[in-house]
Amino acid sequence: IQLTQSPSSLSASVGDRVTITCRASQGISSYLAWYQQKPGEAPKLLIYAASTLQSGVPSRFSGSGSGTDFTLTISSLQPGDFATYYCQQFNTYPLTFGGGTKVEIK
Amino acid sequence: EVQLVESGGGFVQPGGSLRLSCAASGFTFSDHYIDWVRQAPGEGLEWVGRSRNKVNGYTTEYSPSVKGRFTISRDNSKNSVYLQMDSLQTEDTAVYYCARQMSIVGTTPFWGYSDYWGQGTLVTVSS
């Protein structure tokens, strides 16, 4: 299953609302996770089961969608949110990741 | 505290072999799936393979890109998972992470979503 993230990169300011999409090449129910990765660090789980916020993750992060279309939203971008974001599907082997979305400072 | 620590990375020539280790602590190891994920320099994340938990017979899954060359095993007495990499190619150059999978109990149990990750170990394949 191919996951297509868009955009591949974006520039935004602190306080902006940011939306990242992940489209699956076939239905994956809600078996989708979102991760944040900063340079030199391991990825960090933000959202699982498409819309469940991982413990300890700020509530400005939210996820939605099912089937083939999914969205990660950051309601008010904070300085620590500038990073690369990846989606991953857990519905079908081989598990696959999206290509990533790099969120940069405008 | 849940911890995963990878080791064993290094430099190897094409066609060579390397064995990575992932030492786990802070949780009941036999209850959880463990995945291997890699990231080539400057690139995105790629799922490599999986070791299932005790309930699911410690069976394994692999990405087509490594199937037949890589083998995942686990030693529950040492709370460790291993990634044996044979017939290495230059395109296997990457940081390799191990990641614990969540165990979600319910009407239909589900094991997935990487909630804890190791720090990664770099494998460089070059002549």
Side-chain angles (χ1 to χ4, degrees):
Chain A
I1 293 176
Q2 186 172 0
L3 296 181
T4 303
Q5 281 185 239
S6 60
S8 56
S9 66
L10 65 90
S11 295
S13 301
V14 172
D16 284 353
R17 181 182 183 88
V18 169
T19 300
I20 299 168
T21 65
C22 177
R23 174 163 289 177
S25 59
Q26 60 190 77
I28 59 170
S29 185
S30 295
Y31 294 113
L32 187 99
W34 289 97
Y35 304 94
Q36 176 193 69
Q37 187 180 33
K38 297 179 180 179
E41 297 183 4
K44 172 187 174 183
L45 179 65
L46 299 175
I47 301 284
Y48 65 93
S51 60
T52 303
L53 192 68
Q54 170 67 345
S55 176
V57 174
S59 59
R60 63 180 180 273
F61 292 92
S62 64
S64 64
S66 66
T68 60
D69 293 309
F70 301 86
T71 299
L72 173 70
T73 300
I74 309 172
S75 61
S76 178
L77 201 64
Q78 297 302 300
D81 300 338
F82 292 96
T84 301
Y85 294 83
Y86 295 93
C87 56
Q88 184 188 14
Q89 66 85 15
F90 287 85
N91 186 76
T92 304
Y93 292 108
L95 307 186
T96 47
F97 287 90
T101 297
K102 187 173 184 178
V103 177
E104 299 175 301
I105 301 173
K106 182 183 282 185
Chain B
E1 179 192 7
V2 173
Q3 278 196 315
L4 297 164
V5 179
E6 302 96 338
S7 60
F11 185 94
V12 61
Q13 292 187 330
S17 297
L18 210 56
R19 188 199 195 208
L20 306 184
S21 299
C22 170
S25 60
F27 63 97
T28 304
F29 184 67
S30 60
D31 286 350
H32 289 266
Y33 289 19
I34 303 291
D35 282 5
W36 286 96
V37 173
R38 68 184 180 183
Q39 187 169 35
E43 302 295 324
L45 301 169
E46 180 188 9
W47 180 79
V48 172
R50 162 171 287 184
S51 170
R52 291 187 178 89
N53 58 6
K54 181 178 181 180
V55 166
N56 290 285
Y58 299 126
T59 53
T60 55
E61 296 284 347
Y62 298 95
S63 165
S65 64
V66 307
K67 193 170 186 178
R69 300 188 300 122
F70 289 12
T71 303
I72 297 172
S73 61
R74 84 197 262 170
D75 184 340
N76 294 299
S77 69
K78 296 182 179 180
N79 280 6
S80 293
V81 177
Y82 306 100
L83 181 64
Q84 176 67 41
M85 304 185 294
D86 299 320
S87 302
L88 282 161
Q89 305 163 0
T90 55
E91 50 266 37
D92 296 316
T93 294
V95 173
Y96 285 74
Y97 297 99
C98 60
R100 189 188 83 158
Q101 303 303 292
M102 298 175 71
S103 291
I104 300 174
V105 297
T107 308
T108 305
F110 178 79
W111 295 275
Y113 311 122
S114 304
D115 61 348
Y116 287 91
W117 297 65
Q119 83 288 353
T121 187
L122 176 62
V123 172
T124 303
V125 185
S126 175
S127 56

